[in-house]
Amino acid sequence: MSKTKKIAWNVGLIAALLIVLFILEQTMPSGSMLFTVLKKGAIYALVAVSMNLLNGFTGLFSLGQAGFMLLGAYTYAILTIPAESRASVYQYYDGGIINFAIPVPLALIAGGLVAALFAFLIGLPVLRLKSDYLAIATLGFAEIIRAVFQWDKLGPVTNGSNLLKSFPTFRSVLYPFIVSGICIALIVMLINSTYGRAFKAIRDDEIAAEAMGINLAHHKRLAFVISSFFAGVSGGLLAMYQTTIQASMFKSAMTYEILLIVVIGGIGSVTGSCISSFLFIACSEWWLRFLDNENFYIGSFHVPLLRAGFRKVVFSIVIMAMVLFYRQGIMGTKEFSVEAVYNFFKKKFGKKGVKEAGGTNEQ
């Protein structure tokens, strides 16, 4: 498939997806669980891909994603609360010290930049560590950030341990898809660039990469900062989705969920992270929810054992089965692409297949 045809197919598929989402939004009730899965799935797809850039493509085991999402979410919320609403939001801190609001797109970018700035500062000492030590250090950073943002002394800015609310939210399912799609496209372009090849070389063999002239410290820091930037943007999107933000929401369990999505999708696969994000959210938020209902009936038969929390037990078993039987994840290191689908059907139903079918008929 030529490059022009590939681009045309990709643009066509993206346009078709957005049209389908628009039609669904116009025809289905706004409270449908489908929209919950689509919105949250799109947000988690972005943060999972950003984590995969670091863990899967660069080989750095970081667990600080929740902390960078917190920075992005708080930056977005603080900068977009309307001036007339600040008195009620910051009621315990005399209206806070920030009395202006900026447009939503700029606030999302600002959230990413603040997360990237903290990543740069944290990365200077932390990226000297390797493997489990790096994971522990970044996890500790996320926990410290969560505690600091609830500190009463920072209340005029962060509102302390109180909720941040009244900031703009998205009402259309298209918004998180468009923003996440643009960000993921930028990550894919980075992975396919010379920097991406350097990241993969570091992942495969640091000694060989350094011998080839790759600056390990610079490229590790670059991957860490870029990954954190997009995690910050996804934090801003999560704030828009949840409509309120509190630091206690960004616990280490959130990072583990994101890591689980990356592992299920395939470490080193962007499309795998996207697919597993929607599957994870659909299972945890929608498809298995009936397992928490003690009074669930199939016809006149009462299903036993069902009770509150049973959904998590079944979900854990499903995840264990996935890890056991799909050790490389759904996609492994492969990518789902238009070209791969085109080549598959061309191989199966192309001229060669027609000739073989004709020869069989003659016999």
Side-chain angles (χ1 to χ4, degrees), residues 94-127:
D94 299 325
I97 60 175
I98 298 176
N99 297 309
F100 62 89
I102 65 175
V104 170
L106 293 180
L108 287 174
I109 295 173
L113 291 175
V114 169
L117 175 62
F118 273 80
F120 177 79
L121 297 175
I122 294 298
L124 291 175
V126 164
L127 291 178

Short mmCIF file of all heavy atoms in Angstrom, two decimals, residues 94-127:
data_model
loop_
_atom_site.label_atom_id
_atom_site.label_comp_id
_atom_site.label_asym_id
_atom_site.label_seq_id
_atom_site.Cartn_x
_atom_site.Cartn_y
_atom_site.Cartn_z
N ASP A 94 -10.68 32.61 51.63
CA ASP A 94 -10.98 33.98 51.16
C ASP A 94 -10.93 34.11 49.65
O ASP A 94 -10.41 35.11 49.12
CB ASP A 94 -10.02 34.99 51.81
CG ASP A 94 -10.15 35.01 53.33
OD1 ASP A 94 -11.28 34.83 53.83
OD2 ASP A 94 -9.11 35.16 54.00
N GLY A 95 -11.40 33.11 48.94
CA GLY A 95 -11.46 33.18 47.49
C GLY A 95 -10.19 32.82 46.77
O GLY A 95 -10.13 32.89 45.53
N GLY A 96 -9.15 32.41 47.51
CA GLY A 96 -7.89 32.02 46.87
C GLY A 96 -7.08 33.22 46.43
O GLY A 96 -7.46 34.38 46.63
N ILE A 97 -5.95 32.95 45.80
CA ILE A 97 -5.06 34.05 45.38
C ILE A 97 -5.04 34.22 43.85
O ILE A 97 -4.42 35.14 43.35
CB ILE A 97 -3.62 33.82 45.89
CG1 ILE A 97 -3.06 32.50 45.33
CG2 ILE A 97 -3.58 33.82 47.41
CD1 ILE A 97 -1.59 32.28 45.69
N ILE A 98 -5.69 33.30 43.12
CA ILE A 98 -5.76 33.40 41.66
C ILE A 98 -7.16 33.87 41.28
O ILE A 98 -8.15 33.23 41.64
CB ILE A 98 -5.44 32.05 40.98
CG1 ILE A 98 -4.01 31.62 41.33
CG2 ILE A 98 -5.62 32.14 39.47
CD1 ILE A 98 -3.63 30.26 40.80
N ASN A 99 -7.24 34.97 40.58
CA ASN A 99 -8.54 35.57 40.27
C ASN A 99 -8.78 35.73 38.77
O ASN A 99 -9.39 36.70 38.33
CB ASN A 99 -8.65 36.94 40.97
CG ASN A 99 -8.61 36.82 42.48
OD1 ASN A 99 -9.35 36.03 43.06
ND2 ASN A 99 -7.73 37.59 43.11
N PHE A 100 -8.26 34.81 37.99
CA PHE A 100 -8.47 34.86 36.54
C PHE A 100 -8.68 33.44 36.02
O PHE A 100 -8.40 32.46 36.72
CB PHE A 100 -7.27 35.50 35.83
CG PHE A 100 -5.99 34.73 36.01
CD1 PHE A 100 -5.63 33.72 35.11
CD2 PHE A 100 -5.13 35.01 37.07
CE1 PHE A 100 -4.46 33.00 35.26
CE2 PHE A 100 -3.95 34.29 37.22
CZ PHE A 100 -3.62 33.30 36.34
N ALA A 101 -9.19 33.33 34.82
CA ALA A 101 -9.40 32.03 34.17
C ALA A 101 -8.89 32.11 32.74
O ALA A 101 -8.98 33.16 32.10
CB ALA A 101 -10.88 31.65 34.19
N ILE A 102 -8.35 31.00 32.24
CA ILE A 102 -7.84 30.94 30.87
C ILE A 102 -8.64 29.92 30.08
O ILE A 102 -9.34 29.08 30.67
CB ILE A 102 -6.34 30.59 30.85
CG1 ILE A 102 -6.09 29.18 31.40
CG2 ILE A 102 -5.53 31.61 31.66
CD1 ILE A 102 -4.65 28.72 31.29
N PRO A 103 -8.59 29.95 28.75
CA PRO A 103 -9.35 29.00 27.94
C PRO A 103 -8.95 27.55 28.22
O PRO A 103 -7.81 27.26 28.62
CB PRO A 103 -9.00 29.40 26.50
CG PRO A 103 -8.58 30.82 26.59
CD PRO A 103 -7.92 30.97 27.91
N VAL A 104 -9.89 26.64 27.97
CA VAL A 104 -9.69 25.22 28.27
C VAL A 104 -8.47 24.63 27.56
O VAL A 104 -7.65 23.95 28.20
CB VAL A 104 -10.97 24.42 27.93
CG1 VAL A 104 -10.71 22.91 27.99
CG2 VAL A 104 -12.08 24.79 28.91
N PRO A 105 -8.29 24.82 26.24
CA PRO A 105 -7.13 24.22 25.57
C PRO A 105 -5.80 24.68 26.18
O PRO A 105 -4.87 23.87 26.36
CB PRO A 105 -7.26 24.69 24.12
CG PRO A 105 -8.71 24.98 23.95
CD PRO A 105 -9.16 25.51 25.26
N LEU A 106 -5.71 25.97 26.52
CA LEU A 106 -4.47 26.48 27.12
C LEU A 106 -4.26 25.89 28.51
O LEU A 106 -3.12 25.61 28.91
CB LEU A 106 -4.52 28.01 27.21
CG LEU A 106 -4.51 28.78 25.89
CD1 LEU A 106 -4.57 30.28 26.14
CD2 LEU A 106 -3.26 28.43 25.08
N ALA A 107 -5.35 25.68 29.24
CA ALA A 107 -5.23 25.10 30.58
C ALA A 107 -4.76 23.65 30.51
O ALA A 107 -3.97 23.20 31.36
CB ALA A 107 -6.58 25.18 31.30
N LEU A 108 -5.23 22.90 29.51
CA LEU A 108 -4.77 21.52 29.34
C LEU A 108 -3.27 21.48 29.03
O LEU A 108 -2.53 20.65 29.57
CB LEU A 108 -5.56 20.84 28.22
CG LEU A 108 -7.02 20.47 28.53
CD1 LEU A 108 -7.70 19.93 27.28
CD2 LEU A 108 -7.10 19.44 29.65
N ILE A 109 -2.84 22.37 28.14
CA ILE A 109 -1.41 22.44 27.80
C ILE A 109 -0.60 22.86 29.03
O ILE A 109 0.48 22.31 29.29
CB ILE A 109 -1.18 23.42 26.63
CG1 ILE A 109 -1.86 22.89 25.36
CG2 ILE A 109 0.30 23.64 26.39
CD1 ILE A 109 -1.84 23.85 24.20
N ALA A 110 -1.14 23.81 29.79
CA ALA A 110 -0.45 24.26 31.01
C ALA A 110 -0.32 23.10 32.00
O ALA A 110 0.72 22.95 32.66
CB ALA A 110 -1.21 25.42 31.65
N GLY A 111 -1.37 22.28 32.11
CA GLY A 111 -1.30 21.11 32.98
C GLY A 111 -0.19 20.16 32.56
O GLY A 111 0.54 19.62 33.40
N GLY A 112 -0.07 19.95 31.26
CA GLY A 112 1.00 19.10 30.75
C GLY A 112 2.38 19.69 31.01
O GLY A 112 3.32 18.98 31.37
N LEU A 113 2.50 21.02 30.86
CA LEU A 113 3.79 21.68 31.06
C LEU A 113 4.22 21.64 32.53
O LEU A 113 5.41 21.46 32.83
CB LEU A 113 3.72 23.13 30.57
CG LEU A 113 3.59 23.32 29.06
CD1 LEU A 113 3.40 24.79 28.72
CD2 LEU A 113 4.82 22.76 28.34
N VAL A 114 3.26 21.82 33.44
CA VAL A 114 3.60 21.75 34.87
C VAL A 114 4.07 20.34 35.23
O VAL A 114 5.06 20.16 35.95
CB VAL A 114 2.37 22.15 35.73
CG1 VAL A 114 2.62 21.82 37.20
CG2 VAL A 114 2.07 23.63 35.57
N ALA A 115 3.36 19.33 34.71
CA ALA A 115 3.78 17.94 34.95
C ALA A 115 5.17 17.68 34.36
O ALA A 115 6.00 17.01 34.98
CB ALA A 115 2.77 16.98 34.35
N ALA A 116 5.42 18.22 33.16
CA ALA A 116 6.73 18.04 32.52
C ALA A 116 7.84 18.73 33.31
O ALA A 116 8.95 18.20 33.43
CB ALA A 116 6.68 18.58 31.09
N LEU A 117 7.53 19.92 33.87
CA LEU A 117 8.52 20.64 34.67
C LEU A 117 8.90 19.83 35.92
O LEU A 117 10.09 19.68 36.24
CB LEU A 117 7.97 22.00 35.08
CG LEU A 117 8.85 22.83 36.03
CD1 LEU A 117 10.20 23.14 35.38
CD2 LEU A 117 8.14 24.11 36.44
N PHE A 118 7.90 19.31 36.62
CA PHE A 118 8.18 18.48 37.80
C PHE A 118 8.95 17.22 37.40
O PHE A 118 9.83 16.77 38.13
CB PHE A 118 6.88 18.12 38.51
CG PHE A 118 6.43 19.13 39.52
CD1 PHE A 118 5.77 20.28 39.12
CD2 PHE A 118 6.68 18.94 40.86
CE1 PHE A 118 5.35 21.23 40.05
CE2 PHE A 118 6.27 19.87 41.81
CZ PHE A 118 5.61 21.02 41.40
N ALA A 119 8.60 16.64 36.25
CA ALA A 119 9.30 15.44 35.78
C ALA A 119 10.76 15.74 35.51
O ALA A 119 11.64 14.93 35.83
CB ALA A 119 8.63 14.91 34.52
N PHE A 120 11.04 16.91 34.94
CA PHE A 120 12.42 17.29 34.67
C PHE A 120 13.21 17.43 35.97
O PHE A 120 14.34 16.92 36.09
CB PHE A 120 12.46 18.61 33.90
CG PHE A 120 13.85 19.12 33.64
CD1 PHE A 120 14.61 18.59 32.61
CD2 PHE A 120 14.40 20.12 34.43
CE1 PHE A 120 15.91 19.05 32.37
CE2 PHE A 120 15.68 20.59 34.20
CZ PHE A 120 16.44 20.05 33.16
N LEU A 121 12.61 18.09 36.96
CA LEU A 121 13.30 18.30 38.24
C LEU A 121 13.48 16.99 38.99
O LEU A 121 14.55 16.72 39.56
CB LEU A 121 12.51 19.30 39.10
CG LEU A 121 12.37 20.71 38.51
CD1 LEU A 121 11.48 21.57 39.40
CD2 LEU A 121 13.74 21.36 38.35
N ILE A 122 12.43 16.16 38.99
CA ILE A 122 12.51 14.87 39.67
C ILE A 122 13.47 13.93 38.94
O ILE A 122 14.20 13.15 39.55
CB ILE A 122 11.12 14.23 39.77
CG1 ILE A 122 10.20 15.07 40.67
CG2 ILE A 122 11.21 12.80 40.31
CD1 ILE A 122 10.66 15.18 42.10
N GLY A 123 13.49 14.04 37.61
CA GLY A 123 14.29 13.13 36.80
C GLY A 123 15.79 13.32 36.95
O GLY A 123 16.56 12.38 36.73
N LEU A 124 16.21 14.52 37.35
CA LEU A 124 17.65 14.77 37.49
C LEU A 124 18.31 13.79 38.45
O LEU A 124 19.34 13.19 38.11
CB LEU A 124 17.88 16.23 37.93
CG LEU A 124 17.55 17.30 36.89
CD1 LEU A 124 17.70 18.69 37.49
CD2 LEU A 124 18.45 17.15 35.66
N PRO A 125 17.76 13.58 39.65
CA PRO A 125 18.38 12.58 40.54
C PRO A 125 17.82 11.17 40.35
O PRO A 125 18.55 10.18 40.47
CB PRO A 125 18.04 13.10 41.94
CG PRO A 125 16.75 13.82 41.77
CD PRO A 125 16.78 14.40 40.39
N VAL A 126 16.52 11.07 40.03
CA VAL A 126 15.83 9.78 40.06
C VAL A 126 16.24 8.88 38.89
O VAL A 126 16.34 7.66 39.04
CB VAL A 126 14.30 9.99 40.07
CG1 VAL A 126 13.55 8.71 39.71
CG2 VAL A 126 13.84 10.48 41.44
N LEU A 127 16.47 9.46 37.72
CA LEU A 127 16.77 8.65 36.54
C LEU A 127 18.15 8.01 36.58
O LEU A 127 18.51 7.25 35.67
CB LEU A 127 16.62 9.50 35.27
CG LEU A 127 15.19 9.91 34.93
CD1 LEU A 127 15.15 10.77 33.69
CD2 LEU A 127 14.30 8.69 34.75
#
